[in-house]
Amino acid sequence: MGHIRYASDVGAPVDAAFAYAEDFQHAPQWMYGVRAIDTPGTPGSGLGAVRTMKVRLLGVIPVRTTCEITEYRRNAVIGYTLRGRVYGTVTLRFDPLGYERSVLTCEADYPPPRGVFGRLCHGLIDAAAKSALRRTESRLRREIEAFHGTDLVGRIA
């Protein structure tokens, strides 16, 4: 099982950062590879919310995957489980850092590649997963700060 973790400071309080991240409508702007989100008739947010996403693997291969919130603690944690051709878990953790600041920790767990070809491409898959999570984390941080109207050190933009 592959595991990746990135953490960064965000120039927004935990409640503002969490409010932005939990809204599925914003996901195509910050979640790497997501092009669109379809909304079936499930709850809007919170534990059990399910969405179907149109994703581009490695930027070129279009696939559909299901995203379900399987871990949810208000203003603390959002855990997404991805099912379909893209699968694994992505967890966002929000911790207070001080006045108008917070720490965003992004974690991803994904299964090891299967088959002979998968084992041969293990290094490539690891590198692609690390790059995707790093881009997701940096985009989410920038979008939260823009949403809150501050830059990294909390100044009004």
Side-chain angles (χ1 to χ4, degrees), residues 2 131 135:
S131 175
R135 289 178 182 184

Side-chain angles (χ1 to χ4, degrees), residues 12-13 17 19 24-25 32 36 54 64 94 100 138 145 148:
F24 267 112
Q25 293 177 357
Y32 180 74
K54 295 177 184 172
R64 294 177 76 80
F94 302 88
E100 295 288 314
S138 64
E145 290 171 350
H148 184 61

Side-chain angles (χ1 to χ4, degrees), residues 67-127:
C67 177
E68 179 181 358
I69 295 180
T70 53
E71 185 178 0
Y72 185 87
R73 288 194 316 271
R74 187 118 184 92
N75 293 335
V77 177
I78 303 174
Y80 301 97
T81 298
L82 305 173
R83 295 183 180 97
R85 297 215 36 211
V86 177
Y87 54 98
T89 62
V90 176
T91 305
L92 306 176
R93 298 186 191 287
F94 302 88
D95 297 302
L97 186 60
Y99 180 74
E100 295 288 314
R101 302 206 34 204
S102 55
V103 176
L104 168 64
T105 305
C106 297
E107 296 180 62
D109 290 307
Y110 55 95
R114 293 177 285 186
V116 174
F117 184 71
R119 285 191 292 269
L120 289 174
C121 296
H122 180 67
L124 178 65
I125 292 168
D126 267 352

Side-chain angles (χ1 to χ4, degrees), residues 9-72:
D9 294 354
V10 178
V14 169
D15 57 342
F18 189 89
Y20 182 84
E22 80 171 330
D23 188 350
F24 267 112
Q25 293 177 357
H26 298 298
Q29 290 141 0
W30 60 266
M31 197 177 282
Y32 180 74
V34 174
R35 299 295 180 232
I37 295 181
D38 298 329
T39 308
T42 60
S45 63
L47 196 61
V50 177
R51 298 292 184 263
T52 302
M53 301 187 308
K54 295 177 184 172
V55 179
R56 289 209 179 258
L57 289 178
L58 304 173
V60 293
I61 305 167
V63 297
R64 294 177 76 80
T65 190
T66 301
C67 177
E68 179 181 358
I69 295 180
T70 53
E71 185 178 0
Y72 185 87

